[in-house]
Amino acid sequence: MKHFDGRVAVVTGAGSGIGRALATDLAGRGARLAISDVDTEGLAATREACEAAGADVHAATLDVTDREAVFAYADEVESYFGRVDLVVNNAGVALAALATEQTMEDLDRIIDVDWWGVAHGTQAFLPRLIASGDGALVNISSIFGMVAVPGQSAYNAAKFAVRGYTEAIAQEARMEGLPITVHCVHPGGILTNIARNAHVRGDWVDLQPAFDRIAHTTPEHCAKVILRGVVRGRARIFVGLDARALHVVQQTLGVAGLGLIRHITSRLVQRSGVPGSGGRPLSPPATDPDQQVERR
């Protein structure tokens, strides 16, 4: 896919953060947009911004964990636009908890949104992308889909699954000669509300101040990097110096680099406030945590 003008682009988790940045960037490039989120107010603001840029926008409140709803939404989008060219499965949630402290409900929530949400969107839209003759599937993983981090076992599990699933589909597409490109995105620290909206267990502290210190990539820059990666046909798209650096260490040093990666990530987590760091406890989420969708 060499351009987005006139293309129909689907973006989940478009209410803010990376999702909103992708939608508005695509609107500025002449794309027609199908955007969704569980955050109706944020979604409305994104729609307004995209329409102000001249885009034709179809907006829908959507829970990506609801399989039937996602498949019905795919039918709805195709009925509205007549085709689908680009799908970005972006919606996700965050959790900060040691494995000994997280509950099965915590695991279910992370896996349902971060893994099944991507799988539902992929399975629902993949036939339509193939039918377009020049489709692009973009699944948002994380740098934590490449390296494991303390306190992120559930998130790691979901994001590693997204990477394996997406890269297998990319290989199948090449093997079968399908007219699509498949992209797995690995953002590092992006300046969004992911840490503030994270569900927390145990004595973890407010992660947002520390996260803001180490996250230097704006959602707008992230969107540009992702779309540039799509145009260039990159199977793996790394966003941010931190993501690229961890990847280079892993690729260059292999098994020998695992110790260094563990040291770096452990230090980052400690600076963000693991138990014993002296930080204050994080208050419970102000809203239903099941409705807090991450826009990384």
Side-chain angles (χ1 to χ4, degrees):
M1 183 173 292
K2 299 304 181 184
H3 68 86
F4 302 100
D5 186 25
R7 301 298 182 95
V8 176
V10 176
V11 182
T12 68
S16 66
I18 293 176
R20 175 178 290 176
L22 280 166
T24 54
D25 195 320
L26 285 163
R29 299 178 192 229
R32 296 179 288 168
L33 292 163
I35 57 175
S36 65
D37 206 301
V38 295
D39 175 8
T40 55
E41 291 185 4
L43 185 66
T46 301
R47 177 174 190 164
E48 182 178 351
C50 292
E51 289 179 337
D56 181 5
V57 182
H58 177 280
T61 302
L62 180 68
D63 178 357
V64 296
T65 71
D66 186 334
R67 183 176 303 170
E68 291 185 1
V70 173
F71 276 78
Y73 174 66
D75 290 337
E76 184 180 324
V77 170
E78 185 174 38
S79 177
Y80 184 89
F81 288 109
R83 61 184 295 121
V84 177
D85 302 290
L86 168 67
V87 172
V88 184
N89 289 304
N90 168 71
V93 292
L95 169 71
L98 299 177
T100 53
E101 296 172 334
Q102 65 194 9
T103 67
M104 290 308 300
E105 288 74 19
D106 293 331
L107 283 167
D108 284 343
R109 174 172 174 263
I110 292 294
I111 297 301
D112 282 350
V113 178
D114 293 357
W115 157 241
W116 279 115
V118 170
H120 292 161
T122 299
Q123 297 297 143
F125 282 103
L126 188 56
R128 294 167 169 87
L129 291 174
I130 295 170
S132 75
D134 183 26
L137 171 67
V138 180
N139 288 338
I140 308 296
S141 177
S142 168
I143 190 56
F144 293 167
M146 300 293 298
V147 297
V149 180
Q152 296 292 318
S153 58
Y155 190 74
N156 280 141
K159 295 302 186 178
F160 269 68
V162 168
R163 174 166 66 95
Y165 173 71
T166 305
E167 292 188 354
I169 293 173
Q171 293 178 35
E172 292 169 3
R174 288 193 296 271
M175 180 177 68
E176 298 294 322
L178 300 178
I180 60 170
T181 57
V182 182
H183 314 268
C184 194
V185 180
H186 299 279
I190 309 299
L191 288 168
T192 70
N193 287 331
I194 177 175
R196 182 176 292 112
N197 289 342
H199 193 47
V200 178
R201 291 289 182 193
D203 296 326
W204 291 72
V205 302
D206 190 341
L207 305 182
Q208 191 65 40
F211 185 84
D212 287 345
R213 286 195 297 272
I214 63 174
H216 301 292
T217 305
T218 66
E220 292 74 22
H221 180 69
C222 180
K224 292 185 185 303
V225 172
I226 292 170
L227 296 178
R228 182 170 66 237
V230 171
V231 169
R232 294 179 178 177
R234 292 179 176 169
R236 286 182 179 176
I237 301 172
F238 292 91
V239 183
L241 180 60
D242 49 351
R244 294 194 298 273
L246 283 172
H247 177 60
V248 167
V249 169
Q250 184 185 59
Q251 291 292 99
T252 303
L253 300 181
V255 175
L258 292 179
L260 177 59
I261 290 172
R262 282 196 296 267
H263 174 73
I264 293 171
T265 56
S266 295
R267 292 288 293 172
L268 287 174
V269 171
Q270 286 169 5
R271 290 171 183 171
S272 299
V274 296
S277 67
R280 64 178 179 82
L282 182 65
S283 301
T287 59
D288 179 358
D290 290 331
Q291 297 301 311
Q292 293 186 341
V293 174
E294 167 204 339
R295 274 69 63 174
R296 287 150 295 186

